[in-house]
């Protein structure tokens, strides 16, 4: 396929499958953020703020041309992507190369102008972080964030996607603005977000008469003891922003006080139900069926939502990497290539009562070399093979020796980095 920058082709043609494909690239545009969330990794590191250099990003996109199976660029990591001064250009460059584009954002910076730029740059999916169903509860986790503003921002992006879908490709600015004004009038203003206990059935507004937009919209919710009771209320938030999926993750304590907020033990539970296809898909993590969790999840199930608990093969429940398994690579704002987002940076966290130091793992830097030789490095390829076999020590089940304090090695003698303590590999933590 021709990967000239002027290309505007859509999806790539199917490619022959390889044994070690590179299908998805996670990109961290910046480690800066406009919020200071209580659950954030920034409470456990001392990194200086940095934005991904444009030339490094360009080298990634050029490098992906060597991998015909590459399909998606997901902008996430540990910063707010919309802070990068050239973020819409990042979307456009990937889109013009035939790659699907996704973003995870707190949506506070998603102004109407930014929403329009992202839609016309070719954004395919947006996942919005929502950790409460009111300004008060969401702001308790994400100080300075306004849920009302987030809802309005995402609704505007949804409407801009309809404008793009319903006007000619060469439509002038005046036609776009008139179409947008008509859609805003038809959609109406959203009613304020509701507490989970305040309603039994969704309230109707004119937005429900409009179709699903070409851009896919989702919600990511970090579940804790203090907010799990609000889980059912996400159904109403999803309706207001036309979300098609709701992804629930557990919290990873980066501060000792957050250890009291976790909802997970390691008891095995899995279930999947198709539910009502008109409702968004709820993707739930592994968690204990405590009173708090059961009450909230039962309320969601009672509405006949599409539910997916631990949506991987049961035989892989304790040994499946959701990053290396599907064939992904991660690029940090420093230019480093890592196997997964959790290994982009060094940080401390708390798992099963242990204070654990995770050292970042970088196999190369795109400031100095191109993507393909990094991916082909023997030690990197060998690590991916170890992860696929997942023959690491079962630290989650044991957690009783000094190896539990880091990711350097384990009692099986595996070299750095080891993954026996990875909560992503156990289905406890989830990423969009």
């Amino acid at each position: 396929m021709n990967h000239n920058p002027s290309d505007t082709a859509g999806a790539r043609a199917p490619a022959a499958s390889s044994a070690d494909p590179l299908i998805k690239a996670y990109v961290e545009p910046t480690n800066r953020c406009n919020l200071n969330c209580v659950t954030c990794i920034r409470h456990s590191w001392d990194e200086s703020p940095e934005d991904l250099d444009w030339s490094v990003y360009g080298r990634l996109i050029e490098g992906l041309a060597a991998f015909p199976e590459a399909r998606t660029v997901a902008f996430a990591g540990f910063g707010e992507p919309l802070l990068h001064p050239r973020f819409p250009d990042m979307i456009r460059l990937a889109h013009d190369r035939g790659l699907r584009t996704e973003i995870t954002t707190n949506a506070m910076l998603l102004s109407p102008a930014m929403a329009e730029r992202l839609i016309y740059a070719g954004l395919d999916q947006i996942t919005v972080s929502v950790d409460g169903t009111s300004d008060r509860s969401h702001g308790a986790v994400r100080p300075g964030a306004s849920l009302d503003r987030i809802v309005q921002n995402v609704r505007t992006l949804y409407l801009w996607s309809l404008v793009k879908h319903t006007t000619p490709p060469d439509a002038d600015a005046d036609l776009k603005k008139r179409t947008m004004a008509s859609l805003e009038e038809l959609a109406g203003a959203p009613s304020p977000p509701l507490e989970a206990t305040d309603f039994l059935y969704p309230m109707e507004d004119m937005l429900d008469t409009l179709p699903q937009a070409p851009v896919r919209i989702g919600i990511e919710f970090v579940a804790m003891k203090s907010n799990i009771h609000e889980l059912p209320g996400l159904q109403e938030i999803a309706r207001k922003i036309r979300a098609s999926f709701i992804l629930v993750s557990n919290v990873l304590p980066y501060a000792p006080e957050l250890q009291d907020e976790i909802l997970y033990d390691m008891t095995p539970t899995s279930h999947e139900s198709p539910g009502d296809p008109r409702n968004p898909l709820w993707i739930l993590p592994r968690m204990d069926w405590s009173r708090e969790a059961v009450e909230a999840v039962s309320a969601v199930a009672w509405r006949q939502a599409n539910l997916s608990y631990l949506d991987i093969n049961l035989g892989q429940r304790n040994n499946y990497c959701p990053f290396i398994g599907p064939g992904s690579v991660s690029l940090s704002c420093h230019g480093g290539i890592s196997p997964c987002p959790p290994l982009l940076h060094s940080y401390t966290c708390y798992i099963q009562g242990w204070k654990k130091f995770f050292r970042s793992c970088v196999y190369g830097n795109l400031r100095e070399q191109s993507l393909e030789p990094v991916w082909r490095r023997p030690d990197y390829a060998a690590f991916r093979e170890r992860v696929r076999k997942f023959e690491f020590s079962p630290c989650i089940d044991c957690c009783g020796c000094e190896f539990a304090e880091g990711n350097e090695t384990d009692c099986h003698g595996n070299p750095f980095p080891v993954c026996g303590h990875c909560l992503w590999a156990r289905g406890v933590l989830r990423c969009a």
Side-chain angles (χ1 to χ4, degrees):
M1 179 177 179
N2 183 3
H3 294 289
N4 187 283
S6 63
D7 288 347
T8 56
R12 298 181 175 193
S17 178
S18 66
D20 187 21
L22 198 169
I23 297 172
K24 184 173 185 175
Y26 289 91
V27 175
E28 181 180 67
T30 182
N31 63 2
R32 297 184 295 128
C33 192
N34 54 314
L35 299 178
N36 186 29
C37 304
V38 299
T39 55
C40 187
I41 193 174
R42 284 172 186 74
H43 300 297
S44 67
W45 76 16
D46 57 357
E47 287 195 10
S48 57
E50 185 172 355
D51 293 341
L52 179 64
D53 187 84
W54 178 258
S55 64
V56 173
Y57 175 69
R59 182 167 286 185
L60 171 77
I61 299 301
E62 291 292 337
L64 289 175
F67 299 90
E69 294 165 313
R71 294 287 183 271
T72 303
V73 177
F75 300 92
F78 297 100
E80 171 49 52
L82 296 183
L83 278 172
H84 194 284
R86 296 194 65 179
F87 183 69
D89 296 331
M90 289 182 165
I91 294 289
R92 184 175 299 279
L93 180 60
H95 173 77
D96 287 352
R97 299 300 179 89
L99 294 161
R100 174 180 169 80
T101 57
E102 304 174 354
I103 176 180
T104 299
T105 174
N106 61 47
M108 285 295 292
L109 301 176
L110 188 63
S111 64
M114 175 62 75
E116 181 183 6
R117 291 184 68 191
L118 293 180
I119 290 299
Y120 281 92
L123 180 66
D124 292 297
Q125 177 176 303
I126 181 169
T127 304
V128 185
S129 299
V130 175
D131 294 327
T133 57
S134 69
D135 267 352
R136 176 182 55 79
S137 58
H138 182 69
V141 180
R142 298 175 176 270
S146 165
L147 187 57
D148 291 344
R149 179 174 164 186
I150 290 167
V151 167
Q152 186 57 58
N153 288 351
V154 180
R155 283 168 65 101
T156 299
L157 179 124
Y158 157 72
L159 293 176
W160 270 118
S161 70
L162 288 184
V163 171
K164 181 181 178 181
H165 187 62
T166 57
T167 57
D170 58 351
D172 59 27
D174 184 60
L175 176 58
K176 292 177 183 177
K177 289 180 180 179
R178 285 189 282 111
T179 305
M180 182 64 171
S182 299
L183 289 171
E184 286 177 325
E185 183 177 1
L186 179 60
S191 55
L194 301 176
E195 296 288 351
T197 56
D198 287 344
F199 66 94
L200 289 177
Y201 299 98
M203 299 172 63
E204 299 294 327
D205 69 12
M206 294 303 294
L207 189 71
D208 294 332
T209 67
L210 296 176
Q212 286 284 358
V215 65
R216 190 172 186 231
I217 298 172
I219 291 173
E220 184 170 16
F221 180 86
V222 177
M224 299 179 285
K225 288 181 179 178
S226 59
N227 70 356
I228 189 65
H229 65 281
E230 298 201 350
L231 198 64
L234 292 179
Q235 184 79 15
E236 177 68 1
I237 304 298
R239 188 188 67 82
K240 291 181 183 302
I241 65 174
R242 304 295 280 171
S244 61
F245 68 92
I246 300 167
L247 187 147
V248 181
S249 177
N250 282 293
V251 65
L252 176 59
Y254 294 112
E257 59 270 18
L258 286 177
Q259 294 181 92
D260 295 332
E261 288 278 8
I262 65 172
L263 291 164
Y264 48 91
D265 195 327
M266 296 302 145
T267 53
T269 301
S270 182
H271 172 72
E272 190 159 351
S273 168
D276 186 338
R278 294 171 296 178
N279 284 329
L281 174 65
W282 289 72
I283 306 167
L284 301 179
R286 185 175 182 174
M287 65 174 65
D288 293 343
W289 292 117
S290 61
R291 179 181 58 81
E292 299 96 334
V294 167
E295 289 179 355
V297 175
S298 295
V300 170
W302 180 72
R303 297 165 189 271
Q304 297 186 357
N306 294 319
L307 300 177
S308 179
Y309 303 158
L310 197 61
D311 57 332
I312 59 175
N313 182 286
L314 285 177
Q316 298 177 327
R317 181 177 61 238
N318 295 330
N319 62 356
Y320 180 75
C321 174
F323 304 107
I324 288 177
S328 73
V329 71
S330 298
L331 173 66
S332 79
C333 62
H334 309 309
I337 291 292
S338 296
C340 61
L343 289 176
L344 286 173
H345 304 277
S346 297
Y347 55 91
T348 57
C349 61
Y350 296 82
I351 301 177
Q352 293 178 295
W354 286 80
K355 183 177 182 180
K356 189 176 183 74
F357 175 72
F358 279 94
R359 178 162 69 91
S360 66
C361 177
V362 178
Y363 283 103
N365 197 297
L366 294 194
R367 289 174 173 168
E368 304 159 355
Q369 56 191 136
S370 58
L371 178 61
E372 187 173 15
V374 177
W375 180 262
R376 307 295 183 198
R377 277 180 53 160
D379 55 346
Y380 188 8
F383 172 71
R384 294 195 298 272
E385 182 61 20
R386 285 198 302 275
V387 171
R388 282 190 287 268
K389 293 180 178 178
F390 219 89
E391 296 175 347
F392 301 102
S393 300
C395 298
I396 289 293
D397 300 318
C398 176
C399 202
C401 71
E402 66 275 11
F403 292 121
E405 297 177 350
N407 66 337
E408 299 286 342
T409 186
D410 59 24
C411 61
H412 287 183
N414 285 299
F416 170 81
V418 295
C419 304
H421 228 154
C422 178
L423 295 182
W424 281 271
R426 300 298 289 263
V428 173
L429 303 180
R430 311 300 299 273
C431 291

